[in-house]
Amino acid sequence: WNTIGNWNNAPPGAGAVQQRRAYYSVAPNLQGIAFHTSGGKQTYNALQASFARRSRNGLTMSLNYTLAKGMSNVTQPGGGGAAQAYAVVTSQWETTEWSASDIDIRHRYALSMNYELPFGRNASGAARQIIGGWQVNAVAFWQSGLPFTVVNATPRSNTGVGANGD
């Protein structure tokens, strides 16, 4: 589920908030109308490149790079996740909230290495079973950071919403 904050937000402006709310003429004391939907959109596109070096003197190496872009108008795939500050014009949330998704990791490098230790290769019998065939493995990755929204706790737009995204 995707929760759209308050369907009765007042548009930004000066003066009293309550009189500017969309449903003030019908229900003057009504402040909030929560809206829940199972709709939402998310896209993910990526380019992946790999380089692999087969065993040479016992060393095998693989390097992978991913260039990706994730866009969404929900906080996580399938909804849920941390609360999100939705648009002041709530009826337009599908377009105004279209931005980098919570899974937008633009650059990611992954390196894996395997080294077959040289001792025990020429041993035989029980010695080969004990000291032969040992390996050292390493896996590492580096990636760019995740997107985040800066939120100002002071409602400067005077819409009746507790915080504004800046």
Side-chain angles (χ1 to χ4, degrees):
W1 287 100
N2 195 23
T3 302
I4 311 305
N6 184 358
W7 206 255
N8 197 28
N9 276 347
V17 173
Q18 195 65 16
Q19 287 81 7
R20 289 183 284 118
R21 293 189 186 275
Y23 297 99
Y24 177 75
S25 61
V26 178
N29 294 324
L30 180 65
Q31 291 187 4
I33 301 173
F35 178 70
H36 305 281
T37 178
S38 61
K41 297 177 189 167
Q42 183 157 352
T43 62
Y44 178 82
N45 296 293
L47 167 80
Q48 297 176 332
S50 296
F51 170 77
R53 176 74 176 168
R54 300 288 178 201
S55 182
R56 181 179 178 117
N57 298 329
L59 179 65
T60 303
M61 184 176 75
S62 175
L63 176 65
N64 301 288
Y65 171 71
T66 303
L67 171 65
K69 180 155 181 120
M71 299 290 288
S72 175
N73 63 2
V74 294
T75 56
Q76 286 185 1
Q84 184 167 331
Y86 285 96
V88 172
V89 184
T90 312
S91 62
Q92 298 175 0
W93 71 271
E94 290 178 316
T95 54
T96 55
E97 292 299 322
W98 187 253
S99 61
S101 72
D102 286 356
I103 61 168
D104 183 36
I105 298 173
R106 198 62 46 98
H107 304 280
R108 183 177 175 103
Y109 299 89
L111 173 68
S112 64
M113 296 189 310
N114 176 283
Y115 180 66
E116 184 181 338
L117 296 174
F119 57 84
R121 286 185 190 168
N122 298 328
S124 61
R128 183 178 182 106
Q129 294 297 320
I130 295 171
I131 64 171
W134 285 86
Q135 301 174 358
V136 175
N137 301 295
V139 176
F141 71 90
W142 300 268
Q143 68 185 29
S144 57
L146 292 168
F148 65 95
T149 300
V150 177
V151 176
N152 180 355
T154 305
R156 300 196 185 279
S157 63
N158 195 25
T159 61
V161 176
N164 297 140
D166 288 337

